[in-house]
Amino acid sequence: MIGNPAYPTYQVFLAVFVSAAITCLLMPPFIRLMKHEHLGQQVRADGPQRHLIKQGTPTMGGVVILLGIVLTCVLLAKWTPDLVLALVAMLVTGSLGLLDDIESVAHKRSLGLTPPQKMAGLILISVTFCLVAVNVIGISPELRFPGGLVLDLGVLSSTLAIGGVTFTVPWIYLVFVFFLMAGLSNAVNLTDGLDGLAGGCTMVVMLVMAMVAFRYQEINLAIFAASIAGACVGFLWHNCYPATIFMGDTGSLALGAAFAALAILTKTEVTSLIMGGLFIAEAVSVIIQVVSFKATGKRVFLMAPIHHHFEKKGWAETKVVIRFWIVSAAFAALGFALYFQLG
């Protein structure tokens, strides 16, 4: 562990710098490796025509993002149970995304694993995370709302013996954790459609989550969140328009899972949905589009997710990205303000 733990604020800021440096420096050789192995992004045929030039751009940059995060935590953080749990959830979900990326590249198509395969993986990850968080970390199965309202989701609980170990299973909270973790993972994944979009929005949200964890007196989780923000900064150096690499599902699914894990471990599940409002809007736009088309045969948006709608309206890709960063920052600031109203 480097740095001076007597100055926790310094540790958090240092985590941003160290993670950014590691990710930025390791990305070029990874890009060269991907080009040498001809492992490139498969672009949607029905997407904006100007995206066709991105066909073959190296992908799976999420591998380097995750490496930067882990190395930063090794250097700066103490390996407390909650940090280990958050890291494992991120890495396992990233591994699911890696399988998806490999499947996509191997078969030369923009889709990788099937939805049922992804969902099965996310169910296993979220259920395991919830059981460990409640029974090992001591997380209470409740939701805290701005204004002081607390909703107990542990009212319907039972015990379950696994390998001689007895777990308390709060069924309603278990379902909520699944929807939160699967929802945010897929929401960040849907946001990852333009150069710099998902990385920039995640960077903003993780800086706020670092402040939340710091105020929650979870310095190691604050370092974890800061290292994610830093890794996104290092990645953006190579992912800004025109991108020389994409994070792939390896990065987007992992970052969404890390966001959900931080929300649960800091008991900010409700306000995290506001902080990540941009991600939620992206996911909701897809749901609205699908429901509308199936029900009426008409589309609400020119194309979903919603960032493609604005592209179809003639906005330049960089304009969409920067304006979405601004919107993401506004949501994050609002969520952070409401965080102080939690019970």
PDB file of all heavy atoms in Angstrom, residues 81-82 85 130-141 144 216 264-265 267:
ATOM      1  N   PRO A  81     -13.371  -6.866   3.416  1.00  0.00           N
ATOM      2  CA  PRO A  81     -14.377  -7.727   2.783  1.00  0.00           C
ATOM      3  C   PRO A  81     -15.279  -7.007   1.784  1.00  0.00           C
ATOM      4  O   PRO A  81     -15.607  -7.560   0.725  1.00  0.00           O
ATOM      5  CB  PRO A  81     -15.182  -8.253   3.976  1.00  0.00           C
ATOM      6  CG  PRO A  81     -14.207  -8.241   5.110  1.00  0.00           C
ATOM      7  CD  PRO A  81     -13.367  -7.018   4.887  1.00  0.00           C
ATOM      8  N   ASP A  82     -15.682  -5.763   2.100  1.00  0.00           N
ATOM      9  CA  ASP A  82     -16.571  -5.069   1.165  1.00  0.00           C
ATOM     10  C   ASP A  82     -15.857  -4.701  -0.129  1.00  0.00           C
ATOM     11  O   ASP A  82     -16.443  -4.782  -1.220  1.00  0.00           O
ATOM     12  CB  ASP A  82     -17.187  -3.820   1.817  1.00  0.00           C
ATOM     13  CG  ASP A  82     -16.158  -2.904   2.455  1.00  0.00           C
ATOM     14  OD1 ASP A  82     -14.953  -3.230   2.427  1.00  0.00           O
ATOM     15  OD2 ASP A  82     -16.562  -1.849   2.991  1.00  0.00           O
ATOM     16  N   LEU A  85     -15.538  -7.916  -2.182  1.00  0.00           N
ATOM     17  CA  LEU A  85     -16.826  -8.272  -2.771  1.00  0.00           C
ATOM     18  C   LEU A  85     -17.127  -7.414  -4.000  1.00  0.00           C
ATOM     19  O   LEU A  85     -17.571  -7.921  -5.036  1.00  0.00           O
ATOM     20  CB  LEU A  85     -17.936  -8.121  -1.731  1.00  0.00           C
ATOM     21  CG  LEU A  85     -19.356  -8.456  -2.203  1.00  0.00           C
ATOM     22  CD1 LEU A  85     -19.434  -9.903  -2.691  1.00  0.00           C
ATOM     23  CD2 LEU A  85     -20.365  -8.215  -1.086  1.00  0.00           C
ATOM     24  N   CYS A 130     -25.683 -10.660  -3.355  1.00  0.00           N
ATOM     25  CA  CYS A 130     -26.650 -10.289  -2.322  1.00  0.00           C
ATOM     26  C   CYS A 130     -26.477 -11.137  -1.070  1.00  0.00           C
ATOM     27  O   CYS A 130     -26.463 -10.612   0.047  1.00  0.00           O
ATOM     28  CB  CYS A 130     -28.068 -10.421  -2.867  1.00  0.00           C
ATOM     29  SG  CYS A 130     -29.348  -9.966  -1.683  1.00  0.00           S
ATOM     30  N   LEU A 131     -26.331 -12.444  -1.239  1.00  0.00           N
ATOM     31  CA  LEU A 131     -26.199 -13.333  -0.090  1.00  0.00           C
ATOM     32  C   LEU A 131     -24.936 -13.019   0.710  1.00  0.00           C
ATOM     33  O   LEU A 131     -24.955 -13.006   1.951  1.00  0.00           O
ATOM     34  CB  LEU A 131     -26.184 -14.789  -0.554  1.00  0.00           C
ATOM     35  CG  LEU A 131     -27.500 -15.323  -1.132  1.00  0.00           C
ATOM     36  CD1 LEU A 131     -27.329 -16.763  -1.588  1.00  0.00           C
ATOM     37  CD2 LEU A 131     -28.626 -15.217  -0.111  1.00  0.00           C
ATOM     38  N   VAL A 132     -23.837 -12.749   0.015  1.00  0.00           N
ATOM     39  CA  VAL A 132     -22.591 -12.420   0.712  1.00  0.00           C
ATOM     40  C   VAL A 132     -22.693 -11.048   1.375  1.00  0.00           C
ATOM     41  O   VAL A 132     -22.262 -10.857   2.514  1.00  0.00           O
ATOM     42  CB  VAL A 132     -21.400 -12.460  -0.269  1.00  0.00           C
ATOM     43  CG1 VAL A 132     -20.128 -11.984   0.423  1.00  0.00           C
ATOM     44  CG2 VAL A 132     -21.208 -13.867  -0.821  1.00  0.00           C
ATOM     45  N   ALA A 133     -23.287 -10.079   0.679  1.00  0.00           N
ATOM     46  CA  ALA A 133     -23.413  -8.729   1.229  1.00  0.00           C
ATOM     47  C   ALA A 133     -24.230  -8.730   2.517  1.00  0.00           C
ATOM     48  O   ALA A 133     -23.870  -8.066   3.496  1.00  0.00           O
ATOM     49  CB  ALA A 133     -24.054  -7.807   0.199  1.00  0.00           C
ATOM     50  N   VAL A 134     -25.309  -9.483   2.530  1.00  0.00           N
ATOM     51  CA  VAL A 134     -26.201  -9.504   3.694  1.00  0.00           C
ATOM     52  C   VAL A 134     -25.615 -10.338   4.831  1.00  0.00           C
ATOM     53  O   VAL A 134     -25.630  -9.927   5.994  1.00  0.00           O
ATOM     54  CB  VAL A 134     -27.598 -10.032   3.295  1.00  0.00           C
ATOM     55  CG1 VAL A 134     -28.456 -10.278   4.529  1.00  0.00           C
ATOM     56  CG2 VAL A 134     -28.289  -9.052   2.356  1.00  0.00           C
ATOM     57  N   ASN A 135     -25.069 -11.514   4.500  1.00  0.00           N
ATOM     58  CA  ASN A 135     -24.659 -12.455   5.536  1.00  0.00           C
ATOM     59  C   ASN A 135     -23.213 -12.301   5.999  1.00  0.00           C
ATOM     60  O   ASN A 135     -22.886 -12.658   7.131  1.00  0.00           O
ATOM     61  CB  ASN A 135     -24.869 -13.888   5.034  1.00  0.00           C
ATOM     62  CG  ASN A 135     -26.334 -14.257   4.887  1.00  0.00           C
ATOM     63  OD1 ASN A 135     -26.981 -14.663   5.839  1.00  0.00           O
ATOM     64  ND2 ASN A 135     -26.867 -14.095   3.689  1.00  0.00           N
ATOM     65  N   VAL A 136     -22.354 -11.783   5.137  1.00  0.00           N
ATOM     66  CA  VAL A 136     -20.939 -11.641   5.499  1.00  0.00           C
ATOM     67  C   VAL A 136     -20.588 -10.185   5.810  1.00  0.00           C
ATOM     68  O   VAL A 136     -19.980  -9.881   6.844  1.00  0.00           O
ATOM     69  CB  VAL A 136     -20.026 -12.173   4.370  1.00  0.00           C
ATOM     70  CG1 VAL A 136     -18.550 -11.983   4.747  1.00  0.00           C
ATOM     71  CG2 VAL A 136     -20.323 -13.641   4.090  1.00  0.00           C
ATOM     72  N   ILE A 137     -20.991  -9.278   4.930  1.00  0.00           N
ATOM     73  CA  ILE A 137     -20.670  -7.866   5.119  1.00  0.00           C
ATOM     74  C   ILE A 137     -21.586  -7.225   6.156  1.00  0.00           C
ATOM     75  O   ILE A 137     -21.209  -6.287   6.851  1.00  0.00           O
ATOM     76  CB  ILE A 137     -20.772  -7.094   3.789  1.00  0.00           C
ATOM     77  CG1 ILE A 137     -19.947  -7.798   2.712  1.00  0.00           C
ATOM     78  CG2 ILE A 137     -20.295  -5.651   3.952  1.00  0.00           C
ATOM     79  CD1 ILE A 137     -18.486  -7.905   3.015  1.00  0.00           C
ATOM     80  N   GLY A 138     -22.824  -7.736   6.267  1.00  0.00           N
ATOM     81  CA  GLY A 138     -23.781  -7.176   7.225  1.00  0.00           C
ATOM     82  C   GLY A 138     -24.631  -6.060   6.665  1.00  0.00           C
ATOM     83  O   GLY A 138     -25.152  -5.224   7.411  1.00  0.00           O
ATOM     84  N   ILE A 139     -24.814  -6.041   5.333  1.00  0.00           N
ATOM     85  CA  ILE A 139     -25.657  -5.028   4.700  1.00  0.00           C
ATOM     86  C   ILE A 139     -27.121  -5.290   5.049  1.00  0.00           C
ATOM     87  O   ILE A 139     -27.597  -6.422   4.941  1.00  0.00           O
ATOM     88  CB  ILE A 139     -25.473  -5.047   3.162  1.00  0.00           C
ATOM     89  CG1 ILE A 139     -24.028  -4.666   2.809  1.00  0.00           C
ATOM     90  CG2 ILE A 139     -26.455  -4.114   2.481  1.00  0.00           C
ATOM     91  CD1 ILE A 139     -23.617  -3.283   3.247  1.00  0.00           C
ATOM     92  N   SER A 140     -27.824  -4.258   5.461  1.00  0.00           N
ATOM     93  CA  SER A 140     -29.235  -4.417   5.828  1.00  0.00           C
ATOM     94  C   SER A 140     -30.102  -4.433   4.572  1.00  0.00           C
ATOM     95  O   SER A 140     -29.912  -3.616   3.667  1.00  0.00           O
ATOM     96  CB  SER A 140     -29.673  -3.275   6.746  1.00  0.00           C
ATOM     97  OG  SER A 140     -29.452  -2.022   6.123  1.00  0.00           O
ATOM     98  N   PRO A 141     -31.071  -5.339   4.503  1.00  0.00           N
ATOM     99  CA  PRO A 141     -31.942  -5.445   3.320  1.00  0.00           C
ATOM    100  C   PRO A 141     -33.052  -4.401   3.342  1.00  0.00           C
ATOM    101  O   PRO A 141     -34.237  -4.725   3.453  1.00  0.00           O
ATOM    102  CB  PRO A 141     -32.489  -6.869   3.430  1.00  0.00           C
ATOM    103  CG  PRO A 141     -32.547  -7.126   4.896  1.00  0.00           C
ATOM    104  CD  PRO A 141     -31.346  -6.413   5.481  1.00  0.00           C
ATOM    105  N   ARG A 144     -33.336   3.158   1.510  1.00  0.00           N
ATOM    106  CA  ARG A 144     -33.432   4.452   2.170  1.00  0.00           C
ATOM    107  C   ARG A 144     -33.749   5.524   1.130  1.00  0.00           C
ATOM    108  O   ARG A 144     -33.042   5.672   0.137  1.00  0.00           O
ATOM    109  CB  ARG A 144     -32.118   4.774   2.881  1.00  0.00           C
ATOM    110  CG  ARG A 144     -31.759   3.748   3.965  1.00  0.00           C
ATOM    111  CD  ARG A 144     -30.387   3.984   4.547  1.00  0.00           C
ATOM    112  NE  ARG A 144     -30.039   2.934   5.510  1.00  0.00           N
ATOM    113  CZ  ARG A 144     -28.865   2.822   6.109  1.00  0.00           C
ATOM    114  NH1 ARG A 144     -27.912   3.723   5.842  1.00  0.00           N
ATOM    115  NH2 ARG A 144     -28.621   1.838   6.957  1.00  0.00           N
ATOM    116  N   TYR A 216     -19.441   8.111   3.699  1.00  0.00           N
ATOM    117  CA  TYR A 216     -19.963   6.921   4.372  1.00  0.00           C
ATOM    118  C   TYR A 216     -18.882   6.287   5.245  1.00  0.00           C
ATOM    119  O   TYR A 216     -19.114   5.288   5.905  1.00  0.00           O
ATOM    120  CB  TYR A 216     -20.453   5.933   3.315  1.00  0.00           C
ATOM    121  CG  TYR A 216     -21.335   4.815   3.809  1.00  0.00           C
ATOM    122  CD1 TYR A 216     -22.612   5.064   4.294  1.00  0.00           C
ATOM    123  CD2 TYR A 216     -20.889   3.491   3.761  1.00  0.00           C
ATOM    124  CE1 TYR A 216     -23.417   4.025   4.736  1.00  0.00           C
ATOM    125  CE2 TYR A 216     -21.701   2.450   4.192  1.00  0.00           C
ATOM    126  CZ  TYR A 216     -22.957   2.729   4.679  1.00  0.00           C
ATOM    127  OH  TYR A 216     -23.762   1.699   5.106  1.00  0.00           O
ATOM    128  N   ILE A 264     -25.120  -0.579  -3.376  1.00  0.00           N
ATOM    129  CA  ILE A 264     -25.615  -1.486  -2.338  1.00  0.00           C
ATOM    130  C   ILE A 264     -24.755  -1.403  -1.074  1.00  0.00           C
ATOM    131  O   ILE A 264     -25.267  -1.332   0.042  1.00  0.00           O
ATOM    132  CB  ILE A 264     -25.650  -2.935  -2.875  1.00  0.00           C
ATOM    133  CG1 ILE A 264     -26.700  -3.059  -3.982  1.00  0.00           C
ATOM    134  CG2 ILE A 264     -25.932  -3.931  -1.748  1.00  0.00           C
ATOM    135  CD1 ILE A 264     -26.562  -4.300  -4.832  1.00  0.00           C
ATOM    136  N   LEU A 265     -23.447  -1.388  -1.253  1.00  0.00           N
ATOM    137  CA  LEU A 265     -22.534  -1.397  -0.109  1.00  0.00           C
ATOM    138  C   LEU A 265     -22.518  -0.074   0.648  1.00  0.00           C
ATOM    139  O   LEU A 265     -22.124  -0.027   1.815  1.00  0.00           O
ATOM    140  CB  LEU A 265     -21.123  -1.753  -0.577  1.00  0.00           C
ATOM    141  CG  LEU A 265     -20.954  -3.196  -1.100  1.00  0.00           C
ATOM    142  CD1 LEU A 265     -19.575  -3.389  -1.707  1.00  0.00           C
ATOM    143  CD2 LEU A 265     -21.192  -4.214   0.010  1.00  0.00           C
ATOM    144  N   LYS A 267     -25.387   1.734   0.767  1.00  0.00           N
ATOM    145  CA  LYS A 267     -26.818   1.921   1.045  1.00  0.00           C
ATOM    146  C   LYS A 267     -27.378   3.170   0.350  1.00  0.00           C
ATOM    147  O   LYS A 267     -28.111   3.965   0.944  1.00  0.00           O
ATOM    148  CB  LYS A 267     -27.076   2.000   2.553  1.00  0.00           C
ATOM    149  CG  LYS A 267     -26.725   0.737   3.314  1.00  0.00           C
ATOM    150  CD  LYS A 267     -27.341  -0.511   2.670  1.00  0.00           C
ATOM    151  CE  LYS A 267     -28.850  -0.466   2.626  1.00  0.00           C
ATOM    152  NZ  LYS A 267     -29.434  -1.610   1.854  1.00  0.00           N
TER     153      LYS A 267
END
